[in-house]
């Protein structure tokens, strides 16, 4: 039994090098992360984290301290499914989403990291071991950029090793977004993979109209065109708009993804830091595989690269660190459009705790 002997949590506010903007969340000057470190009776350690945009970190941290830690302390760290279920049902009536599932996600990531460390395996091999080399794209938060600025940003991302990007859409004037996508196509050619992301900005009718306008410039997918909870609306946007649809970064349960998949989403997009952790992410990935669908990801690329490296139906890894790379010992590197999952035990993401301490909330 790998008894959980110690649980340590942290709450930090990380400033961004420059403010960024999307259509739904507006201008973001920074983000918040909540970390958890668990140690077993043998002294082995696992690390997990979750993050928010601007607000919400304090609630997650409080949940981790007051709800997750008391239930988990003394439990068997190897019984991950049993502990996940215990925590889920302990917090279910007061949560089933929000801060509870985000705290659970961070804790579950730490459990899987610990299990892989104890096994002496990289996480992606422990989870199945498909292919360490994962296609990756640069996910920009760039609604405010002009066409020229967006092209320049993309040239910079190509110089960093990316061969695909995502750009934000959702301005009040649709023609401005279309002009930006057109400029990108003209700059990088028809074969260059470009995704577009509206961050839930549109109504269903607006999204259909926008999709038809964007279609001429061949985006690979149209991400979060409408409100997350409008499951049937995604099917309408895909059918009438004529573009593949990606969604899921704001969904919190396996059951949410089942309904989303049943309503025609093309690219399920779980975020390991808010969907229930590694345990839930892998179930979502296998559910998508059973429906013949490719899985993409949102956020936490240093963790998620392992999850996509473990499954055959992965598509692209989204890579953007929200400035977190400055607080990581060895940030994930991109070469010729691909990220390679580390081969050291665990997930291999090591925080610079000294640097992070300066940002403690």
């Amino acid at each position: 039994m790998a008894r959980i002997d110690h649980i340590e949590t942290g709450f930090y506010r990380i400033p961004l090098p420059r403010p960024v903007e999307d259509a739904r969340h507006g201008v973001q000057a920074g983000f918040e992360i909540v970390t958890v470190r668990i140690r077993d009776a043998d002294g082995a350690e696992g690390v997990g984290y979750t993050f928010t945009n601007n607000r919400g970190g304090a609630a997650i941290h409080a949940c981790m301290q007051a709800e997750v830690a008391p239930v988990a302390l003394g439990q068997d760290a190897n019984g991950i499914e049993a502990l996940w279920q215990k925590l889920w049902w302990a917090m279910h009536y007061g949560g089933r989403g929000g801060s509870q599932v985000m705290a659970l996600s961070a804790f579950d990531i730490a459990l899987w990291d610990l299990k892989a460390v104890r096994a002496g395996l990289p996480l992606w091999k422990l989870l199945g071991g498909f292919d360490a080399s994962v296609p990756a794209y640069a996910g920009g938060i760039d609604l405010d950029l002009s066409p020229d600025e967006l092209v320049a940003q993309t040239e910079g991302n190509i110089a960093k090793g990316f061969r695909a990007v995502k750009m934000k859409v959702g301005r009040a004037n649709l023609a401005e977004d279309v002009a930006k996508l057109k400029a990108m196509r003209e700059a990088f050619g028809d074969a260059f993979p470009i995704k577009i992301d509206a961050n839930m900005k549109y109504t269903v009718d607006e999204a259909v109209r926008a999709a038809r306008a964007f279609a001429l410039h061949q985006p690979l997918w149209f991400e979060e065109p409408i409100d997350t909870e409008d499951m049937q609306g995604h099917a309408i946007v895909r059918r009438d708009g004529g573009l593949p649809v990606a969604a899921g970064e704001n969904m919190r349960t396996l059951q949410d993804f089942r309904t989303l998949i049943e309503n025609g989403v093309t690219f399920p997009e779980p975020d390991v830091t808010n969907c229930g952790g590694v345990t839930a992410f892998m179930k979502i990935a296998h559910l998508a595989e059973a429906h013949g669908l490719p899985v993409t990801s949102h956020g936490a690329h240093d963790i998620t690269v392992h999850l996509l490296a473990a499954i055959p139906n992965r598509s692209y890894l989204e890579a953007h660190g929200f400035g977190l790379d400055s607080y990581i010992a060895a940030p994930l590197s991109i070469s010729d459009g691909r990220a390679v999952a580390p081969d050291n035990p665990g997930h291999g993401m090591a925080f610079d705790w000294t640097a992070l301490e300066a940002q403690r909330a």
Side-chain angles (χ1 to χ4, degrees):
M1 175 176 173
R3 188 181 72 251
I4 298 173
D5 256 14
H6 181 77
I7 300 172
E8 179 181 338
T9 66
F11 173 31
Y12 310 93
R13 292 193 175 97
I14 308 297
L16 286 166
R18 72 166 186 86
V20 295
E21 182 177 358
D22 71 40
R24 178 58 69 189
H25 303 99
V27 176
Q28 301 162 58
F31 71 103
E32 300 179 332
I33 68 167
V34 175
T35 62
V36 58
R37 304 166 75 177
I38 59 176
R39 284 193 288 276
D40 65 18
D42 296 325
E45 181 176 278
V47 175
Y49 81 98
T50 187
F51 71 94
T52 69
N53 297 331
N54 294 324
R55 295 286 184 274
I60 299 167
H61 188 233
C63 183
M64 184 75 77
Q65 291 183 311
E67 310 295 345
V68 174
V71 173
L73 201 62
Q75 299 295 311
D76 182 5
N78 282 328
I80 295 178
E81 183 67 42
L83 188 47
W84 194 99
Q85 295 291 336
K86 187 180 184 73
L87 287 164
W88 175 258
W89 290 109
M91 299 186 291
H92 183 270
Y93 193 75
R96 198 185 166 277
S99 58
Q100 284 88 349
V101 77
M102 295 179 84
L104 174 58
S105 299
F107 190 78
D108 185 79
I109 291 168
L111 284 176
W112 279 101
D113 184 36
L114 175 60
K115 187 164 189 171
V117 166
R118 287 179 62 94
L121 290 171
L123 180 57
W124 69 275
K125 285 186 178 177
L126 183 70
L127 292 172
F130 177 68
D131 180 6
S133 179
V134 180
Y137 73 87
I141 307 177
D142 46 31
L143 186 69
D144 57 317
L145 299 189
S146 69
D148 287 345
E149 290 171 327
L150 186 59
V151 168
Q153 174 182 270
T154 303
E155 289 171 341
N157 283 323
I158 291 172
K160 294 175 184 176
F162 290 99
R163 300 295 179 265
V165 299
K166 184 171 73 182
M167 55 175 278
K168 298 295 187 182
V169 297
R171 293 185 182 219
N173 184 351
L174 175 60
E176 293 181 13
D177 287 331
V178 175
K180 288 172 67 175
L181 180 56
K182 180 174 182 287
M184 289 283 284
R185 259 303 154 240
E186 290 174 347
F188 302 106
D190 291 341
F192 187 74
I194 302 172
K195 296 91 170 167
I196 55 173
D197 183 359
N199 290 104
M200 307 175 289
K201 178 65 174 181
Y202 300 119
T203 66
V204 172
D205 288 343
E206 289 169 343
V208 169
R209 176 172 172 260
R212 290 173 175 172
F214 293 134
L216 176 64
H217 305 296
Q218 304 174 62
L220 186 67
W221 70 55
F222 193 5
E223 184 172 326
E224 285 203 312
I226 60 173
D227 186 70
T228 296
E229 281 73 29
D230 188 355
M231 302 289 191
Q232 293 179 337
H234 287 87
I236 295 170
V237 173
R238 180 184 177 190
R239 182 193 68 205
D240 296 348
L243 289 178
V245 172
E249 69 182 67
N250 284 287
M251 292 180 175
R252 301 292 185 257
T253 70
L254 173 65
Q255 291 74 21
D256 284 343
F257 278 90
R258 179 188 64 196
T259 306
L260 184 67
I261 287 170
E262 288 171 351
N263 279 279
V265 71
T266 324
F267 291 88
E269 184 191 12
D271 183 325
V272 68
T273 70
N274 68 31
C275 74
V278 175
T279 298
F281 187 105
M282 295 305 291
K283 292 178 181 179
I284 293 163
H286 297 321
L287 175 66
E289 182 184 8
H291 284 80
L293 296 176
V295 172
T296 184
S297 66
H298 175 261
H301 56 253
D302 297 271
I303 310 295
T304 313
V305 66
H306 286 273
L307 313 188
L308 296 186
I311 59 175
N313 59 317
R314 83 279 181 87
S315 59
Y316 282 92
L317 171 75
E318 179 183 40
H320 61 62
F322 296 107
L324 194 57
D325 281 357
S326 299
Y327 302 91
I328 298 172
L332 188 69
S333 62
I334 307 295
S335 178
D336 198 24
R338 304 182 81 86
V340 178
D343 210 34
N344 46 311
H347 55 54
M349 178 185 177
F351 282 110
D352 181 340
W353 297 106
T354 301
L356 205 54
E357 184 61 33
Q359 306 302 336
R360 186 176 288 273

